[in-house]
Amino acid sequence: MKKIIALSGPPHCGKDTIGRRLTEKLVSETYAMVGPVRLAAFELLGEWFTESRYAELKETPIDMFGGMNLRQWMISFSEDFMKPKCGTDVFGRMAVNQLAKKETPLVILTDSGFFEEQMAVVNAVGRDNYLYVRIRRDGCDWSKDSRSYINFVDPQIHQLGVDNNGTIDEACDFIIAHCRAVLQWEIY
């Protein structure tokens, strides 16, 4: 059964960087819950998605989006259109469809989204195959984001807190050690 490490944390705390480094250290792939929303935005703009262009536009007002920046438009598209029309777990269901296509035994979700979305993932892979990681980093907060940490009340959902104030390798090694020693996942 496929294993999932779901990374959660405020903007700029290192989710994408930790996700990329984990794929260098382990046989794994990444998936971004925000991927379909980013794709829709870039299609509307008539541009190819690149990480550098995304970073450039994330906080820049865009005329086509009524003066909203890319982050604001993506939140509005998700919260005001997709979820009311398709259900609050729509991005979780989309993720489950994509996770099934991944060839590696481990997938790193580089952004966890919301409770309903993650529960769709948990229910698809099972609680024993899922780890929710809360990343904390000094100076990073949720004030410019519609998300926050998910409060799972189910004690059988594995959760881990990671401080990302040292090196990326230290954060990754802490996550890997937890997966191997505590969860007893055979990941390489």
Side-chain angles (χ1 to χ4, degrees), residues 30-77:
T30 61
Y31 178 79
M33 300 284 286
V34 72
V37 179
R38 273 194 262 195
L39 180 60
F42 275 80
E43 286 290 327
L44 284 170
L45 292 171
E47 295 191 33
W48 287 102
F49 171 80
T50 63
E51 288 292 337
S52 61
R53 187 69 173 136
Y54 175 67
E56 217 177 285
L57 294 176
K58 209 164 24 175
E59 304 298 335
T60 304
I62 300 170
D63 289 339
M64 179 186 283
F65 295 160
M68 289 188 284
N69 63 40
L70 189 58
R71 181 189 304 274
Q72 293 166 328
W73 183 88
M74 290 180 0
I75 290 169
S76 177
F77 180 73

Side-chain angles (χ1 to χ4, degrees), residues 10-169:
H12 310 294
C13 74
K15 297 180 298 288
D16 290 326
T17 305
I18 289 172
R20 280 192 300 275
R21 185 63 56 85
L22 285 170
T23 64
E24 293 169 6
K25 292 176 167 271
L26 301 166
V27 177
S28 60
E29 297 176 72
T30 61
Y31 178 79
M33 300 284 286
V34 72
V37 179
R38 273 194 262 195
L39 180 60
F42 275 80
E43 286 290 327
L44 284 170
L45 292 171
E47 295 191 33
W48 287 102
F49 171 80
T50 63
E51 288 292 337
S52 61
R53 187 69 173 136
Y54 175 67
E56 217 177 285
L57 294 176
K58 209 164 24 175
E59 304 298 335
T60 304
I62 300 170
D63 289 339
M64 179 186 283
F65 295 160
M68 289 188 284
N69 63 40
L70 189 58
R71 181 189 304 274
Q72 293 166 328
W73 183 88
M74 290 180 0
I75 290 169
S76 177
F77 180 73
S78 170
E79 302 302 314
D80 301 331
F81 180 74
M82 289 296 289
K83 290 180 182 181
K85 300 288 183 195
C86 303
T88 57
D89 66 343
V90 61
F91 295 107
R93 289 183 282 122
M94 292 169 77
V96 168
N97 290 338
Q98 293 304 310
L99 295 174
K101 298 175 186 176
K102 299 287 186 181
E103 295 181 9
T104 60
L106 174 65
V107 177
I108 315 300
L109 298 180
T110 55
D111 60 330
S112 297
F114 294 90
F115 175 79
E116 295 85 356
E117 297 162 351
Q118 284 307 297
M119 285 310 298
V121 175
V122 170
N123 291 331
V125 301
R127 284 158 175 73
D128 288 339
N129 299 310
Y130 178 90
L131 174 64
Y132 180 77
V133 179
R134 288 179 182 84
I135 301 171
R136 294 177 298 275
R137 186 174 187 178
D138 292 345
C140 298
D141 63 47
W142 295 99
S143 63
K144 293 185 178 183
D145 205 304
S146 62
R147 300 167 295 176
S148 185
Y149 293 117
I150 297 172
N151 183 22
F152 290 108
V153 293
D154 182 343
Q156 293 182 355
I157 294 177
H158 302 289
Q159 301 175 65
L160 177 66
V162 174
D163 286 315
N164 187 24
N165 291 307
T167 69
I168 293 297
D169 282 325

